[in-house]
Amino acid sequence: MLDDLALFIAIVEAGSLNAAAEKEGLPTATVTRRLQKLESGLGYRLLHRSARRTMLTAEGTQYYEQCRPLVQALRQATLRLDATLGAIEGTIRVLAPVNFASEILAPAWASFLEQYPRVQLELELSNEVQDLVGSGADLAIRIGAMADSTLTQRKLGDVRLVLAASPAYLARNGTPRNVTELEGHSTIATLPLREWHVQDPSTGAHFVLHPDPRVRVNEVRLAVMMAEAGLGIVLAPELQCHASLESGALVRLLPGWTSRERSVYAVWSQQRYLPARVRALLEHLAAFTAQHPLLAGDI
């Protein structure tokens, strides 16, 4: 009804049905039909009309005088709202895993805020999968399979997993050359990696290991540090142990063997409209991860 009311105001101000139709980019028949629909809903005639000229009825005059300021106010409010939603400013709340957000994405947060100085960023970091809808957050970064069908997702990349141990540990316990030789070794497990999936490059055989870890921890960086200290073998994201492998603090085991990759997603609620500021952050993160050398796979 609001659209038809606005059209009635336009007809009065244009002076005729034809002029209003031309101004609004509508067929004259459509303008006539919508005016008739409005009058039918109200129960009285608003205009004496012909194709070339219209005149307000007494009821139409009252309706026009009362409703014209309301329509104008609504138009102005809509313009202001459009400008606000289209502006890259305001607060963005993001849920994300601790290590991934604080290490890998740290430069992306900084460069985004530098590019958009009127944005405030609230980062809530946790290794637990938090309720995105209930928290009121705009966006979440998640690693692993997405099971929640109420969320929209965009893939940002794939995280490779590597088996590694310290030189000191291997000197004491030997270096495993295949899956069988992994048995009996001390292991350090990171949640949620309760199973270790590895594939033999020579045969293509796939193995699923169920380690009985000496340590199980939900903080990847701590697990890597424990491996560096010689406490056992760890299966960890290459993103978190790349520096340790480069420095020699850890040694990659079973080179050539592959482990199942874990995908990284940006997710948001299907029930929420993405304001321009959130869309801008999403595109910024996608561009950043697409250039990251340790985020493999087709995106």
Side-chain angles (χ1 to χ4, degrees), residues 1-287:
M1 184 175 180
L2 286 174
D3 287 342
D4 292 336
L5 177 57
L7 183 60
F8 162 66
I9 302 296
I11 294 170
V12 175
E13 294 177 346
S16 72
L17 296 175
N18 286 342
E22 183 177 352
K23 181 179 178 181
E24 299 296 321
L26 296 170
T28 302
T30 299
V31 173
T32 302
R33 176 177 52 79
R34 287 175 56 181
L35 177 60
Q36 291 172 342
K37 177 184 174 184
L38 179 62
E39 290 177 327
S40 176
L42 294 173
Y44 47 79
R45 196 174 182 86
L46 298 174
L47 294 170
H48 299 297
R49 55 194 178 271
S50 66
R52 298 191 176 190
R53 187 167 179 267
T54 61
M55 290 183 59
L56 286 162
T57 64
E59 294 84 359
T61 298
Q62 292 184 36
Y63 207 72
Y64 173 75
E65 291 176 350
Q66 292 288 331
C67 294
R68 181 173 179 271
L70 299 178
V71 171
Q72 288 181 331
L74 179 60
R75 285 173 175 165
Q76 292 173 355
T78 301
L79 290 174
R80 288 194 299 269
L81 182 59
D82 287 344
T84 299
L85 292 176
I88 303 178
E89 61 182 32
T91 301
I92 307 174
R93 292 194 61 225
V94 182
L95 310 177
V98 177
N99 294 115
F100 195 77
S102 59
E103 296 179 12
I104 306 306
L105 294 183
W109 308 127
S111 57
F112 179 75
L113 291 172
E114 183 177 0
Q115 184 175 353
Y116 300 106
R118 300 183 68 178
V119 168
Q120 295 84 45
L121 195 58
E122 293 184 5
L123 299 175
E124 187 171 338
L125 307 186
S126 173
N127 291 330
E128 302 297 326
V129 177
Q130 297 169 280
D131 180 4
L132 175 61
V133 177
S135 70
D138 298 294
L139 203 65
I141 307 299
R142 292 188 176 168
I143 301 176
M146 293 292 103
D148 192 340
S149 62
T150 66
L151 300 178
T152 305
Q153 64 186 37
R154 178 168 176 177
K155 188 176 178 182
L156 299 179
D158 291 302
V159 176
R160 289 184 291 261
L161 300 173
V162 298
L163 284 164
S166 71
Y169 174 84
L170 297 175
R172 291 194 310 270
N173 299 282
T175 301
R177 294 168 294 177
N178 52 50
V179 170
T180 302
E181 292 184 6
L182 281 173
E183 296 179 5
H185 278 273
S186 296
T187 57
I188 302 166
T190 60
L191 296 175
L193 299 176
R194 299 182 182 276
E195 296 180 340
W196 291 6
H197 295 257
V198 292
Q199 188 170 19
D200 186 338
S202 61
T203 65
H206 180 262
F207 300 89
V208 181
L209 309 180
H210 298 85
D212 182 16
R214 185 177 182 188
V215 180
R216 189 186 298 277
V217 61
N218 71 339
E219 168 56 54
V220 176
R221 185 56 199 157
L222 179 57
V224 171
M225 293 173 65
M226 288 182 171
E228 290 175 350
L231 296 179
I233 296 172
V234 68
L235 178 69
E238 187 178 13
L239 289 166
Q240 268 76 47
C241 62
H242 176 72
S244 302
L245 294 169
E246 288 289 306
S247 68
L250 289 179
V251 175
R252 188 190 298 260
L253 302 179
L254 305 185
W257 289 61
T258 57
S259 182
R260 182 176 295 175
E261 295 176 343
R262 305 189 72 216
S263 296
V264 181
Y265 298 94
V267 301
W268 61 95
S269 171
Q270 294 178 357
Q271 302 170 2
R272 298 194 62 172
Y273 167 76
L274 278 185
R277 63 184 182 277
V278 182
R279 292 198 305 271
L281 176 59
L282 181 61
E283 294 301 325
H284 190 84
L285 293 174

